[in-house]
């Protein structure tokens, strides 16, 4: 596993003259084998940072390093998206979607099915699901498939962007448990993004708080919760507490 | 596609098209000789029993020549369309293939080309490619291409933004493969339909070129050439020109009508089917102050064959009230909403003791379309599927006002812009002129809400309006719904799987499980929820004090399958409190004095862990 580092990363949308900076000089390190939770309000730039990391959006400044080196063209990062309904191709079977993400040439034609089975079992899905289309799966099952697909690429780092917010509450817990279990077993390096502080705290070793394109506070999860420094973090905590019964 | 055959137009168009295609295949085999037989004794004869459409200047039978010409005419039209579609696909997918920046130039060029009349383009290209069959095929193909490119572009950009395309790109799948595997299959249907319509046009265009002598050259002949030859003697012998003319029109219509019938079948939801006589039970006399009730539902049941995913649902929504429906996937939330809007599709059946909206019985009223169109707004989870990708946003909103309020075109458009402003879309005039895919997910959802506000709704039903949105936009859309509710006294029914969203926005919550309402309580009372399922839902979300060393408590087992419901309480297989009473019979939804309804034999009993 590897270490992911954002150095002075900025992202702008729109043209050079007219446009706005969504991510502004972000420094953040995801240490090898740990989970960094990124929490922040609507529009603070969390997803943009994630998309920039996997190369879906170009950087306008700074750099992203993997083990101290710039990211190669074929990204060794993988991502799980928010909406399990739009993240799987409706016309492709579950097995085909996962197989597509396997590193090209790494598996002989006849070994592919076995690898798909292994990945499905890793996310607690029976092997016979491989032949199904996404429409036949529930949201929680689709999200497991999306996780299996991400793991198929043997990622150096896994990015999870709001992976539970489109799921039933009753399934959220199962998916969170699964993510924690897989992360621990494979010693995954992971950037876990959510707007829900309680969820982030539950999953992460380190918590980073983002506001208006900046990381305003970052530290071990327990410290951030017991001793928040930035006013915005305190505000988030207060909101989370008041939501509790 | 099978829906094409449900409409009479669709059936006739399909039959006509089949006849044309059969003729194209078999006519030359059967009658080529008769059409080629030269008979110098019968030159330029009129209609007769022997020659139904007369003969030409070499004494050949015109009727058979028209039949035999079907093959070449149709073949050339299809080839020209194929050329156009291929070029159109490449141009339309350009942004995906060569990157957004270079793609923008292509798109701009296409937009200019679309503005030229197709036939003019065809003539222009015919001159470039030269006289003859190949030239004409290319000319018409190139003329069809721009409009196809535009359509492809529109369709592709909606799909290209889906996360599965992103996922494939992250996985290192090449651009051509992404296009072939993920994008084209998902836009195939509308493309095929439009290609069919275009083939009809190409047929006419080809006849035109051949008629002008730019297309098919002797000795080969298609309908256009026959038309040209027949025209020389039109005064003496009109049928010689009419016969090929009729063939062109009929075949062109066959393609176009079939294409459009198919488009309609794909694009439209077939609406509405209610259980007939069975529902006409006497209405329970419930003298509620009608003025305060926007919606009253009693004993709503929705069935698909033997399975009833919604059973015995009843509730009321007061004026300006906001009611949330929560429950797992498949619990019947969306179906309930669709039933209220009279949108349950075949083979679904709806029955109810009462579905009353603004005092009108929706079960019987045939006039409810207008009432619903004006006073009920629906917002769905995925605004991309509820907005038509091929129409401008403003036009789509305006259509509502034209249909239901009888406004003129300009007035309706002005109101659309005004409504887009009301939902806080920036630059509403410009947005109105854009296509859905040019808006972000949040903007589209605002546009949908704006569409609901074209009338003056008394109730907005929002089914997971924020689930497909980035969380960054969710809060804004929820705030907008809140604002509309507060300012206009509009009632809101918010369907969500996310209990915390409902908690923020709603006054009351209906909790659904396996097609029934199992609890109905004020949001403020959620902490004192009485049903084991509601309490389990609340416990399944981590809070700031959850032990990080342990897995989260989850509701064991799977959601109930409406096809296999147990005789007793549907939650029993997953309920920690279940006992023999629960397994034996289904608990009724009982009301306590505070109006808090709950369906459980053991409500309030502590769960021993
Ligand atoms: N057209 C249909 N034919 C047969 N069964 C259907 C149809 N539409 C819905 N159902 C079934 O009805 C049940 C309730 O569906 P519904 O869409 O109302 O659930 P929901 O509560 O809205 O779930 P979600 O949270 O996933 O949107 C499901 O079991 C579903 O399979
Ligand atoms: S009736 Fe019985 S099984 Fe059903 S929810 Fe209540 S305690 Fe559980
Ligand atoms: Mg639903």
């Amino acid at each position: 596993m590897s270490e992911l580092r954002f150095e002075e990363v900025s992202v702008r949308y729109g043209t050079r003259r007219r446009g706005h900076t969504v991510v502004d000089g972000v420094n953040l390190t995801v240490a090898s084998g740990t989970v960094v939770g990124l929490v922040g309000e609507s529009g603070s730039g969390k997803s943009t940072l994630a998309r920039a990391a996997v190369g879906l959006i170009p950087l306008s400044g700074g750099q992203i390093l993997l083990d101290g080196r710039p990211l190669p063209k074929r990204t060794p990062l993988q991502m799980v998206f928010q909406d399990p309904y739009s993240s799987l191709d409706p016309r492709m079977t579950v097995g085909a979607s996962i197989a597509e993400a396997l590193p090209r040439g790494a598996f002989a034609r006849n070994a592919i099915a076995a690898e798909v089975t292994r990945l499905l079992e890793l996310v607690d899905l029976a092997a016979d699901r491989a032949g199904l289309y996404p429409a036949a799966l529930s949201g929680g099952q689709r999200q497991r498939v999306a996780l299996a697909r991400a793991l198929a690429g043997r990622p150096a780092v896994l990015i999870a962007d709001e992976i539970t917010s489109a799921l039933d509450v009753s399934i959220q817990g199962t998916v969170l448990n699964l993510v924690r279990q897989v992360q621990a077993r494979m010693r995954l390096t992971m950037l876990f993004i959510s707007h829900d502080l309680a969820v982030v705290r539950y999953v992460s070793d380190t918590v980073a708080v983002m506001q208006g394109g900046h990381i305003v506070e970052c530290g071990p999860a327990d410290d951030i919760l017991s001793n928040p420094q930035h006013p915005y973090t305190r505000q988030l905590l207060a909101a989370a507490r008041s939501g509790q019964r | 596609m099978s829906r094409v055959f449900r409409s009479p137009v669709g059936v006739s168009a399909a039959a006509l098209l089949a006849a044309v295609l059969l003729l194209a295949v078999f006519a030359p085999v059967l009658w080529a000789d008769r059409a080629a037989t030269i008979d110098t004794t019968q030159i330029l004869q009129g209609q007769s029993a022997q020659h139904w459409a007369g003969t030409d200047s070499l004494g050949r039978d015109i009727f058979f020549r028209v039949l035999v010409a079907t093959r070449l005419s149709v073949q050339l039209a299809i080839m020209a369309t194929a050329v156009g579609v291929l070029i159109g696909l490449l141009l339309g997918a350009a942004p995906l293939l060569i990157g957004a920046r270079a793609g923008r130039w292509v798109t701009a060029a296409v937009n200019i080309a679309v503005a030229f009349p197709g036939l003019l383009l065809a003539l222009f290209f015919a001159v470039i490619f030269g006289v003859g069959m190949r030239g004409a095929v290319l000319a018409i193909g190139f003329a069809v291409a721009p409009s196809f490119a535009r359509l492809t572009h529109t369709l592709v950009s909606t799909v290209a933004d889906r996360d599965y395309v992103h996922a494939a790109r992250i996985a290192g799948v090449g651009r051509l493969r992404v296009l072939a595997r993920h994008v084209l299959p998902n836009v195939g249907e509308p493309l095929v339909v439009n290609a069919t319509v275009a083939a009809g046009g190409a047929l006419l265009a080809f006849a035109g070129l051949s008629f002008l002598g730019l297309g098919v050259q002797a000795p080969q002949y298609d309908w256009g050439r026959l038309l040209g030859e027949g025209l020389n003697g039109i005064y003496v012998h009109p049928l010689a020109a009419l016969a090929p003319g009729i063939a062109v029109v009929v075949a062109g219509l066959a393609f176009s009508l079939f294409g459009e019938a198919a488009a309609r079948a794909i694009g439209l939801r077939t609406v509405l089917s209610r259980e007939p006589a069975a529902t006409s039970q006497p209405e329970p006399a419930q003298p509620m102050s009608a003025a305060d009730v926007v919606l009253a539902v009693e004993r709503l049941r929705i069935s698909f064959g033997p399975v009833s995913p919604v059973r015995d649902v009843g509730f009321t929504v007061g004026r300006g009230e906001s009611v949330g429906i929560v429950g797992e996937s498949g619990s019947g939330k969306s179906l309930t909403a669709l039933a209220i809007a009279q949108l349950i599709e075949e083979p679904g059946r709806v029955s109810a003791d009462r579905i009353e909206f603004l005092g009108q019985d929706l079960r019987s009223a045939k006039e409810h379309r207008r009432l619903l169109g004006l006073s009920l707004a629906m917002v769905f989870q995925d605004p991309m599927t509820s907005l038509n990708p091929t129409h401008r946003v403003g036009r789509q909103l305006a259509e509502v006002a034209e249909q239901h309020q009888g406004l003129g075109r300009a007035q309706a458009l002005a109101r659309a812009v005004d409504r887009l402003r009301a939902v806080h879309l920036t630059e509403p005039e410009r947005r109105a002129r854009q296509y859905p895919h040019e808006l972000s997910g949040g903007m589209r959802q605002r546009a949908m809400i704006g569409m609901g506000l074209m009338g003056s709704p008394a109730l907005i039903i929002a089914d997971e309006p924020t689930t497909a949105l980035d969380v960054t936009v969710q809060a804004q859309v929820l705030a907008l719904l809140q604002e509309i509710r507060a300012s206009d006294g509009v009632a809101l029914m918010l369907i969500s799987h996310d209990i915390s969203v409902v908690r923020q926005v709603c006054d009351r919550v209906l909790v659904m499980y396996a097609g029934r309402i199992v609890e109905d309580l004020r949001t403020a009372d959620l902490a004192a929820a009485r049903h084991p399922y509601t309490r389990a839902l609340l416990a399944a979300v981590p809070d700031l004090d959850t032990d990080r060393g342990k897995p989260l408590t989850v509701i064991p087992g799977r959601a109930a399958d409406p096809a296999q419901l147990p005789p007793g309480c549907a939650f029993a297989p997953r309920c920690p409190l279940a006992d023999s009473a629960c397994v034996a019979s289904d608990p009724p939804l009982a009301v306590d004095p505070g109006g808090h309804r709950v369906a459980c034999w053991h409500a309030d009993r502590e769960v021993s862990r």
Side-chain angles (χ1 to χ4, degrees), chain A residues 42-43 74 82 86-87 89 91-92 100 104 141 149 162 167-170 177 180 201-202 204 243-244, chain B residues 163-164 167 171-172 181-182 186 328-329 469 471-472 497 503 541-544 546 548 550-552 558:
Chain A
S42 303
R74 225 196 114 130
Q82 170 179 355
S86 85
S87 67
D89 188 336
R91 312 241 172 181
M92 248 165 123
E100 185 183 63
R104 207 158 305 154
Q141 289 170 329
R149 177 181 57 190
E162 299 281 1
L167 295 180
D168 277 2
V169 209
S170 51
N177 285 343
R180 288 212 349 166
R201 166 193 165 272
Y202 181 69
S204 317
Q244 275 176 31
Chain B
D163 283 337
Y164 57 79
R181 254 206 228 161
H182 296 284
N186 286 302
E328 277 168 297
S329 184
L469 300 181
V471 258
T472 54
H497 64 276
R503 211 177 210 171
V541 212
D543 64 31
L544 291 178
T546 307
R548 301 211 298 151
K550 288 192 202 137
L552 293 168
R558 324 181 88 258

Side-chain angles (χ1 to χ4, degrees), chain A residues 85 139 168, chain B residues 303-304 307-310 327-338 345-348 381 463-464 495-497 512 515 560-563:
Chain A
Y85 290 88
D168 277 2
Chain B
S303 314
F304 294 89
V307 182
S308 298
V310 171
E328 277 168 297
S329 184
S331 56
K333 308 181 296 284
S334 299
L335 285 180
T336 303
L338 289 175
E345 296 187 30
E346 281 288 358
Q381 170 168 350
D463 187 357
E464 307 269 5
I495 297 174
S496 177
H497 64 276
M512 284 188 78
D561 178 356

Side-chain angles (χ1 to χ4, degrees), chain B residues 322-399:
Chain B
S322 77
V323 177
I325 304 187
V326 298
E328 277 168 297
S329 184
S331 56
K333 308 181 296 284
S334 299
L335 285 180
T336 303
L338 289 175
I340 294 164
Q342 308 288 320
L343 286 174
I344 295 290
E345 296 187 30
E346 281 288 358
R349 293 249 168 269
V350 177
S351 73
D353 282 1
R354 181 172 178 206
I355 306 180
E356 230 171 75
F357 180 55
L358 296 173
Q360 295 236 26
D361 187 352
L362 289 185
R363 291 172 310 152
S364 59
K366 279 268 174 276
E367 302 303 311
H368 60 244
R369 286 271 110 218
R370 199 180 130 81
L371 176 70
L372 290 179
L374 279 180
S375 309
L376 178 76
M378 279 291 274
V379 181
F380 293 100
Q381 170 168 350
D382 184 356
M384 208 54 233
T385 53
S386 21
L387 288 171
N388 185 335
T390 56
H391 292 311
R392 293 171 202 277
V393 172
R395 215 50 266 149
Q396 296 192 48
L397 265 69
E399 232 158 57

Side-chain angles (χ1 to χ4, degrees), chain B residues 33-40 42-45 51 53-65 218-219 221 225-226 229 237:
Chain B
D33 294 341
R34 293 184 70 170
T37 313
I38 297 174
D39 182 352
T40 38
Q42 298 273 333
I43 288 172
L44 290 174
Q45 296 291 302
H51 304 290
T55 56
D56 67 3
S57 54
L58 290 176
R60 293 172 297 199
D61 185 292
I62 289 178
F63 178 71
F64 285 111
R65 282 174 71 78
Y221 56 97
R225 251 202 73 214
L226 292 179
E229 289 174 1
H237 176 191

